């Protein structure tokens, strides 16, 4: 049985706690590895190692730091296929989807390679008589990321690439369900020339998470996961005086106007709703057709497409999506489907009966489609995180706009229309952090920022883009005056530019 430890001081080390967690292969249901669960003492040792290494790394000029990331990009490209297969076998998503996971992470690494420009401060010559003012961005020190199972490559790279580029040391606590790829990425960073200790990976559960939150030397924490845990981490970390950005759950709506191209809409809903078995924080889980005629036509087109979804193993290149991550995830989604039926929604397609005869113990579930869902139902209010699409019929545009705006989550939303006025009005007024116009998954490119509103995001700054540089640095402002030979005497009033 393969044992996965931790990555500290530039090498993989065994865990000492004696506690482990099973790492499953979702497509077969078999246990393929066991991962060590760290103790607070192991976490503390990793932080001390990171703090010692950070001092020299923080003093390294940004261009040299960028070169390490550039080399890392080359190494990931070299190992792309093997990383994608490892990711697929641990998570369950298909290999093409796994490659997309890696690629979206690499795009943030590419952005972080511009760190010599991104960390430039400001300078004003002659701000006052003989006075110059300038600012500089400096790293925080040791920072940490707590990342989820559903994007085991992308989100760790979203976190550690800008943090390390800014001169920090980074401690990563990945999901214990999918630890293999984060460990592989850490090894590639060392091969790229990163000094040992600048990227440490400590595997664990809540015990080590709480140790991260309480450690006095960890200055900032980034988290992605459920909203309840995001709230917990943000509250506890902020109370400890740490800078914190936490991203939680989602209930992403797609508004379908009567003038929309319904063939385009159905393609978008099928991909965005069922890709990666719905285990995405940016998955479309609610379709909102405006008007009865739009809704009836949409359902007529959607039902056969959902029934025709091709579920396969993670290494089946022809599959639309693969298994869910665990047996518990399958049970949770099935329970939500039963709840929806009990609440009175119309179950147009029921995916609970799907089986994979060649992998009878795998964590499979077919696609499900609900119609006539109402905002008071649990299947509308709560995040299902599985291959389930719900249809909430809206009578008019105002009702459709209100649904995502009033929902407790505010991660992403999309509108499908040919009307520019409607699209502009929707983008301006909807109370959601990321908006797509005829784009079903509006994840911004790496030089913008990613972040949801309301219960989808906790903290003032978003992930990647310019916000990541602000998050992982602090600004120091210097006001300088050199003696000019003129004695002005003591000044007792506050300095002004008058």
């Amino acid at each position: 049985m393969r044992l996965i430890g931790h990555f500290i001081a530039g090498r993989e080390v065994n865990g000492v706690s004696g506690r482990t967690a099973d790492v499953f292969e979702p497509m077969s249901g078999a246990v393929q590895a066991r991962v060590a669960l760290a103790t607070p003492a192991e976490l503390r040792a990793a932080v001390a190692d990171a703090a010692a290494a950070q001092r020299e790394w923080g003093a390294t000029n940004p261009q040299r730091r960028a070169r390490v990331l550039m080399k890392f990009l080359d190494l990931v490209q070299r190992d792309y296929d093997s990383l994608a297969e490892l990711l697929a076998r641990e998570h369950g998503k298909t290999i093409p989807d796994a490659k997309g996971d890696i690629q979206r992470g690499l795009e943030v690494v590419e952005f972080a390679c511009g760190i010599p420009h991104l960390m430039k401060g400001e300078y004003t010559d002659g701000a006052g008589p003989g006075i110059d003012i300038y600012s500089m961005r400096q790293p925080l020190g040791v920072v940490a990321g707590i990342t989820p199972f559903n994007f085991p490559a992308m989100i760790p790279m979203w976190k550690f690439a800008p943090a390390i580029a800014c001169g920090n040391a980074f401690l990563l606590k990945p999901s214990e369900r999918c630890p293999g790829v984060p460990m592989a990425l850490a090894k590639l960073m060392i091969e790229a020339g990163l000094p040992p200790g600048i990227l440490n990976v400590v595997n664990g559960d809540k015990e080590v998470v709480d140790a991260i939150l309480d450690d006095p030397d960890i200055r900032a924490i980034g988290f992605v996961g459920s909203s309840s845990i995001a709230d917990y981490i943000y509250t506890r970390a902020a109370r400890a005086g740490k800078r914190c950005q936490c991203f939680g759950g989602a209930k992403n709506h797609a508004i379908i106007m009567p003038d929309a191209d319904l063939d385009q809409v159905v393609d978008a809903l099928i991909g965005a709703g069922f890709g990666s078995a719905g285990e995405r924080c940016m998955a479309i889980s609610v379709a909102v057709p405006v008007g009865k005629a739009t809704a009836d036509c949409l359902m007529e087109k959607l039902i056969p497409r959902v029934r025709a979804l091709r579920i396969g193993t993670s290494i089946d290149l022809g599959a639309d999506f693969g298994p869910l991550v665990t047996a518990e995830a399958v049970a949770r989604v099935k329970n939500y489907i039963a709840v929806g039926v009990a609440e009175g929604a119309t179950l147009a397609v029921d995916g609970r009966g799907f089986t994979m005869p060649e992998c009878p113990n795998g964590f499979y579930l077919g696609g499900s489609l609900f119609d006539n869902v109402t905002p008071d139902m649990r299947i509308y209010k709560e995040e299902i995180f599985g291959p389930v699409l719900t249809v909430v019929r809206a009578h008019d545009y105002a009702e459709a706009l209100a649904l995502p705006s009033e929902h407790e989550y505010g991660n992403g939303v999309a509108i499908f229309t040919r009307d520019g006025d409607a699209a502009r009005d929707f983008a301006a007024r909807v109370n959601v952090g990321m908006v797509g116009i005829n784009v079903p998954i509006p994840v911004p490119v790496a030089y913008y920022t990613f972040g949801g509103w309301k219960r989808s995001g906790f903290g003032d700054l978003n992930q990647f883009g310019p916000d990541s540089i602000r998050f992982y640095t602090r600004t120091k402002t210097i006001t300088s005056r050199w003696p000019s030979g003129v004695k002005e005497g003591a000044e007792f009033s506050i300095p002004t530019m008058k």
Side-chain angles (χ1 to χ4, degrees), residues 234-378:
Y234 181 76
T235 302
R236 184 161 172 168
R239 190 182 299 123
K242 302 182 189 302
R243 188 176 290 188
C244 199
Q245 54 171 204
C246 294
F247 296 93
K251 202 71 178 180
N252 304 315
H253 297 60
I255 312 303
I256 299 111
M257 298 296 288
D259 67 334
D261 180 336
L262 288 188
D263 289 327
Q264 177 196 20
V265 169
V266 169
D267 283 342
L269 292 177
I270 289 293
F274 297 99
S276 201
E279 293 178 322
R280 293 173 176 159
C281 67
M282 290 297 286
I284 291 292
S285 53
V286 183
V288 184
V290 177
K292 184 178 185 305
T294 307
D296 289 346
C297 188
L298 178 69
M299 289 301 298
E300 183 181 344
K301 291 176 177 289
L302 262 179
I303 289 172
R305 292 290 299 276
V306 175
R307 286 176 175 161
L309 284 166
R310 190 175 185 282
I311 299 96
T313 66
S314 306
I315 57 175
D316 179 354
L317 298 181
D320 295 321
F321 64 87
L324 277 72
V325 68
T326 61
E328 290 77 13
V330 174
R332 186 194 70 249
V333 177
K334 285 184 174 181
N335 180 66
Y336 269 113
I337 295 171
V339 166
V341 172
E343 289 179 321
T346 303
L347 184 56
V349 181
D350 187 352
R352 290 173 294 179
F354 177 82
T355 59
M356 181 74 71
E358 60 269 37
C359 298
N361 298 316
F363 310 139
Y364 295 95
L365 190 62
S368 293
L369 174 65
F370 277 105
D371 192 9
N372 300 308
V373 176
T374 57
D376 60 314
M377 295 179 179
R378 279 184 60 196

Side-chain angles (χ1 to χ4, degrees), residues 91-114:
H91 174 276
K93 63 178 68 179
T94 64
I95 285 180
D97 196 19
K99 289 183 176 180
D101 185 329
I102 296 167
Q103 179 59 33
R104 287 309 296 255
L106 289 179
E107 288 166 9
V108 172
V109 180
E110 291 170 344
F111 168 79
C113 288

Side-chain angles (χ1 to χ4, degrees), residues 180-199:
V181 171
M183 292 287 284
L185 294 175
K187 293 173 184 177
L188 290 179
M189 284 292 285
I190 293 295
E191 187 178 350
L194 188 71
I198 299 303
L199 177 57

Side-chain angles (χ1 to χ4, degrees), residues 75-93:
L75 295 173
V76 174
Q77 291 292 343
R78 181 196 69 189
D79 295 351
Y80 215 104
D81 290 342
S82 60
L83 287 169
E85 182 167 344
L86 174 61
L87 193 159
R89 287 185 179 277
E90 284 193 352
H91 174 276
K93 63 178 68 179

Side-chain angles (χ1 to χ4, degrees), residues 9-291:
R11 61 189 182 90
E12 187 169 358
V13 298
N14 294 327
V16 300
S17 71
R19 295 192 308 125
T20 61
D22 291 338
V23 179
F24 290 93
E25 183 182 69
M27 66 179 179
S28 68
V31 175
Q32 59 173 313
R34 290 193 173 91
V35 60
L37 303 177
T39 64
E42 288 175 285
L43 182 278
R44 182 62 207 153
V47 173
D49 175 76
Q54 189 275 330
R55 287 186 284 272
E56 184 175 350
W57 180 247
T60 301
N61 75 61
Q63 192 164 353
R64 292 179 183 272
R65 298 199 297 261
R67 287 174 186 158
V68 172
L69 295 178
M70 292 175 188
K71 178 63 175 175
F72 173 75
L73 289 170
D74 290 339
L75 295 173
V76 174
Q77 291 292 343
R78 181 196 69 189
D79 295 351
Y80 215 104
D81 290 342
S82 60
L83 287 169
E85 182 167 344
L86 174 61
L87 193 159
R89 287 185 179 277
E90 284 193 352
H91 174 276
K93 63 178 68 179
T94 64
I95 285 180
D97 196 19
K99 289 183 176 180
D101 185 329
I102 296 167
Q103 179 59 33
R104 287 309 296 255
L106 289 179
E107 288 166 9
V108 172
V109 180
E110 291 170 344
F111 168 79
C113 288
I115 199 64
H117 171 72
L118 296 168
M119 281 192 71
K120 287 192 302 186
E122 301 167 312
Y123 186 90
T124 300
D125 176 58
I131 294 175
D132 303 324
I133 299 179
Y134 61 97
S135 66
M136 60 178 70
R137 290 194 174 276
Q138 295 184 324
L140 301 178
V142 179
V143 298
I146 302 167
T147 58
F149 75 87
N150 60 323
F151 285 98
M154 181 183 81
I155 295 178
M157 284 191 273
W158 281 9
K159 300 293 186 187
F160 73 66
I164 288 171
C166 288
N168 300 287
F170 194 88
L171 189 142
L172 175 63
K173 205 302 284 184
S175 170
E176 61 273 26
R177 298 175 189 171
C178 303
V181 171
M183 292 287 284
L185 294 175
K187 293 173 184 177
L188 290 179
M189 284 292 285
I190 293 295
E191 187 178 350
L194 188 71
I198 299 303
L199 177 57
N200 289 336
V201 180
V202 177
N203 289 300
D205 52 10
K206 185 179 184 297
E207 184 176 341
V208 79
V209 168
D210 286 343
I212 290 171
L213 300 180
D214 297 338
D215 193 286
D217 289 332
I218 294 176
R219 306 298 184 188
I221 296 172
F223 169 82
V224 178
S226 70
S227 288
S228 59
I229 299 176
D231 193 354
Y232 167 78
I233 288 176
Y234 181 76
T235 302
R236 184 161 172 168
R239 190 182 299 123
K242 302 182 189 302
R243 188 176 290 188
C244 199
Q245 54 171 204
C246 294
F247 296 93
K251 202 71 178 180
N252 304 315
H253 297 60
I255 312 303
I256 299 111
M257 298 296 288
D259 67 334
D261 180 336
L262 288 188
D263 289 327
Q264 177 196 20
V265 169
V266 169
D267 283 342
L269 292 177
I270 289 293
F274 297 99
S276 201
E279 293 178 322
R280 293 173 176 159
C281 67
M282 290 297 286
I284 291 292
S285 53
V286 183
V288 184
V290 177

